[in-house]
């Protein structure tokens, strides 16, 4: 049955209430609170039962046919919500707005929150290492303005991007945006790419929130920023019913202040996840994250994804790391205290707009308890700090909240004795009532002489006196007992005295629960007034934790403080790839990189598996670590400030968009060539291998020449086209280097050492043997190789490109003369193919 098929004149009052509420939330799954369950009806029930793998039942609603229904217990609803939200659904929580005990007629209900991918705030549903961003994107035709926020932490940012869709998508992916809010659905291509290709939820919302929370953006001068913030706030406040009182000031992100990395660079370098398994383990952030708090972990990732360009800010972090390394005892004391700090950022978010419970406040109290110790250590380290220890909040929580409170707020046992006089009196009545029951039972045993008499309690009949059937005659009539319940072997009675005490005790219990809940809410509101100050403290703790982590990793992994320069000088002595060094079972082979201002490009040759890609990634990682303010894995490093990093490493088809390896190669190469400056770093790994030999070699050579002559940025260019090595003599800014290997008894040994000069052999068959290909294939390949090598010529390789293109001089029998010059016994397969191709082409021309 569909909602549209319902006869509204016949439905029950409760179902009419449901339908009225559902009209306002057509696109959400409405969780409708009924007693101890959240129930979903009609199409919502069918969807939920399918996605959550629950039984679809029916409910009587005044109609002849039972309506479809699916329900989940309210006390364990979070996993169900998490599953639905992760699948792209929005969930509207409809709660009872009044206590059913005191409701006259239908219980009032209303939606209290809407949860979507980008607006989850419950700590149990969030990844502690990552921010949980939702973003608003406005298209002003000539620029994009993006405003993104993490509701769980109250952080909010704005930035302007050039009107390039690829750049916008790359930025959104790097930020890990989970949900995008657009003002309309006109850009179908963008929506399809975000939803279909990258799984980002897209919501449409046209309004702008006026006046409310204007304190967050009042300092902004750029109108584009203000529109973006208002647009996001409208969606969060009006559509999703969020309280944003924990938001402070919008932070303006100026892209030119940070080292720029597109999404391909972040993935190729495995900064936050591995390429193969898409996991955090064995990524760079996995190695350097020695933080003790969730806040520090997120801060460190933010630093890694946004390396700095301002030398003074970078040097400030270097200085702190150096101090911490020298004061290692204080550093360990600091880390021990940081370990006691809970996620204060997200606790602030829960206080503002989440389902806060007493255990959350207990975590906040335990965190605040450590602040005086941390402040003292920071002072001893000589760091300037304005850390607020929030002593008044700590005292409030210490005096108010039980040390072991329940998870829910309606069970009592939230507020300590001594906090509220009236509450203490009620607790005394409750406690005295229990003592009364025990004494009352003893007194009745003496009065009646019935030794097995007992006084008990259940929720149906309340307090009662129970005696066995054989003792009924021994009950004195003057006690005026009233029979309440008959059991198989006993009778239960109530006496006037017991009835009076029962009312007093039960009323005290209800009043205690209600009063404790109200007092808890008062404590929450008191803390809420200090949220912005608490957020500042959380941010200071996060930065302190992040810099301490960098100090620890510098010591454990033997990193050194780099020197920064603005002269395009790049000198690394015994540089290492820190992750590979950490996980490798063999001793890591360190390598030098020296590029003075006159050298723009290193042209790298060497066998497959010899370490060319690692050598290239190693440089980029050292640059990123240096500019995020970390020490670097090297014996010595003098580095220029890099403004952008571009990479083309590894071959992979973009199957989703239907683009081939070669098309992806060319697009990434174009991105680098069109956007790089002389201060950039480009890593091209075997560019041109995705197409035919001559096409690939020609394009690789042309790109190499263009980058070296026109962009003149630091470039590492690895290739198997050994013919390109002749460009070193033609273009002085190109320098040949190679990754060495040696051959012994038909086997190849990779030395992983980068040396000056070029090599002219790829050892492909040796690598195939190492990969475990069947021996039959290996032997056949060796046989074919000998056949090809028998046609090798003695002419120097650097002449091959010229030989393949230069036919200005024509002689009577030129083909015959050229054939005579060939020496098949010393030709490589590549030489043979080149020579045969050119002779064939020339013969066709003639």
């Amino acid at each position: 049955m569909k909602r549209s098929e319902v006869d509204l004149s016949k439905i029950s009052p409760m179902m009419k209430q449901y339908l009225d509420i559902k009209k306002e939330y057509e696109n959400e799954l409405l969780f409708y609170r009924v007693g101890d369950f959240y129930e979903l009806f009609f199409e919502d029930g069918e969807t939920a039962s399918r996605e959550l793998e629950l039984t679809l039942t029916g409910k009587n609603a005044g109609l002849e046919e039972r309506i479809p229904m699916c329900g989940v217990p309210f006390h364990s609803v979070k996993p169900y919500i998490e599953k639905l939200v992760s699948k792209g659904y929005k969930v509207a929580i409809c709660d009872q707005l009044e206590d059913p005990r005191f409701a006259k007629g239908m219980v009032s209900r209303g939606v209290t929150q809407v949860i979507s991918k980008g607006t989850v705030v419950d700590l149990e549903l969030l990844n502690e290492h990552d921010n949980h961003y939702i973003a608003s994107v406005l298209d002003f035709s000539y620029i994009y303005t993006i405003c993104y926020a993490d509701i769980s932490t109250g952080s909010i940012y704005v930035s302007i991007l050039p009107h390039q869709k690829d750049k916008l998508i790359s930025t959104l992916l790097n930020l890990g945006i989970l949900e995008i809010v657009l003002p309309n659905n006109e850009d179908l291509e963008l929506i399809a790419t975000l939803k279909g290709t990258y799984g980002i939820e897209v919501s449409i919302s046209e309004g702008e929130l006026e006046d409310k929370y204007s304190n967050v953006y009042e300092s902004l001068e750029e109108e584009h920023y203000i529109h973006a913030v208002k647009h996001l706030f409208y969606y969060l406040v009006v559509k999703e019913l969020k309280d944003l009182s924990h938001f402070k000031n919008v932070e303006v992100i100026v892209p030119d202040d940070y080292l720029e990395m597109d999404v391909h660079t972040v993935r190729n370098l495995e900064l936050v996840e591995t390429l193969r398994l898409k996991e955090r383990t064995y990524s760079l952030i996995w190695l350097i994250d020695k933080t003790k708090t969730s806040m520090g972990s997120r801060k460190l990732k933010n630093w890694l994804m946004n390396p700095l360009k301002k030398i003074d800010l970078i040097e400030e972090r270097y200085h702190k790391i150096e101090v911490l390394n020298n004061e290692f005892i204080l550093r360990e004391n600091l880390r021990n205290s940081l370990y006691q700090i809970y996620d204060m950022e997200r606790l602030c978010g829960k206080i503002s707009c989440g389902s806060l419970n007493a255990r959350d406040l207990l975590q906040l109290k335990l965190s605040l308890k450590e602040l005086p110790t941390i402040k003292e250590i920071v002072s001893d380290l000589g760091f300037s700090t304005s850390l607020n220890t929030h002593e008044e909040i700590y005292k409030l929580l210490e005096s108010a909240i039980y040390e072991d409170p329940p998870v829910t707020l309606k069970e009592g046992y939230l507020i300590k004795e001594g906090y509220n006089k009236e509450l203490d009196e009620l607790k005394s009545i409750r406690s005295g009532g229990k003592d009364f029951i025990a004494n009352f039972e003893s007194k009745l045993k003496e009065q009646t002489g019935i030794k097995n008499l007992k006084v008990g309690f259940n929720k149906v009949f309340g307090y009662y006196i129970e005696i066995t059937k054989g003792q009924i005659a021994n009950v004195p009539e003057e006690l005026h007992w009233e029979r309440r319940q008959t059991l198989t072997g006993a009778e239960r009675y109530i006496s006037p005295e017991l009835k009076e005490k029962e009312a007093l005790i039960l009323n005290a219990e209800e009043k205690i629960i209600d009063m404790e809940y109200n007092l808890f809410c008062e404590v929450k509101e008191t803390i809420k007034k200090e949220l912005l100050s608490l957020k500042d403290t959380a941010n200071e703790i996060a930065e302190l934790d992040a810099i301490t982590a960098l100090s620890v990793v510098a010591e454990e992994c033997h990193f050194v403080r780099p020197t920064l320069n603005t002269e395009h000088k790049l000198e690394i002595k015994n540089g290492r790839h820190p992750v590979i060094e950490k996980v490798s079972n063999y001793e890591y082979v360190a390598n030098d990189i020296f590029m003075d201002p006159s050298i723009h490009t290193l042209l790298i040759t060497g066998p497959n598996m010899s370490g060319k890609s690692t050598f290239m990634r190693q440089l980029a990682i050292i640059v990123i670590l240096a500019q995020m303010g970390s020490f670097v894995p090297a014996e010595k490093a003098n580095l220029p400030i890099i403004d952008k990093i571009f990479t083309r490493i590894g071959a992979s088809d973009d199957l989703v968009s239907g683009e081939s390896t070669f098309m992806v190669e060319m697009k990434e190469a174009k991105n680098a060539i069109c956007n790089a400056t002389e201060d950039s770093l480009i890593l091209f790994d075997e560019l041109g291998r995705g197409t035919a030999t001559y096409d690939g070699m020609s394009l690789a050579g042309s790109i190499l020449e263009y980058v070296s002559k026109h962009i003149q940025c630091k470039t590492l260019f690895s290739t198997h086209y050994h013919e390109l090595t002749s460009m070193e003599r033609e273009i002085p800014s190109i320098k040949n280097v190679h990754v060495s290997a040696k051959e012994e008894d038909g086997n190849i040994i990779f030395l992983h050492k980068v040396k000056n000069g070029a090599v002219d052999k790829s050892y492909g068959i040796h690598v195939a043997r190492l990969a475990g290909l069947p021996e039959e294939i290996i032997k056949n390949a060796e046989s074919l190789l000998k056949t090809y090598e028998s046609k090798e010529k003695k002419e120097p390789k650097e002449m091959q490109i010229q030989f393949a293109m230069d036919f200005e001089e024509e002689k009577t029998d030129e083909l015959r003369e050229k054939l005579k010059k060939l020496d098949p016994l010393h030709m490589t397969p590549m030489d043979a193919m080149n020579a045969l191709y050119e002779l064939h082409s020339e013969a066709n021309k003639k």
Side-chain angles (χ1 to χ4, degrees), residues 16-32:
K16 184 177 187 309
Q17 183 190 60
Y18 167 82
L19 291 173
D20 289 341
I21 295 172
K22 179 62 183 175
K23 285 179 186 176
E24 302 297 320
Y25 297 92
E26 292 285 347
N27 299 320
E28 291 80 14
L29 296 177
L30 184 64
F31 277 58
Y32 183 81

Side-chain angles (χ1 to χ4, degrees), residues 208-226:
E208 289 189 8
L209 188 69
E210 299 294 341
D211 301 327
K212 194 172 185 182
Y213 302 119
S214 59
N215 61 295
V216 177
Y217 56 83
E218 63 186 1
S219 62
L220 298 177
E221 298 179 357
E222 174 61 60
E223 284 296 319
H224 296 101
Y225 292 151
I226 296 173

Side-chain angles (χ1 to χ4, degrees), residues 788-793 823-829 831-832 835:
Y788 297 141
E789 286 180 339
S790 67
K791 302 173 184 178
E792 185 176 351
K793 59 184 179 180
D823 185 357
L825 296 176
H826 296 87
M827 293 181 74
T828 65
D831 294 338

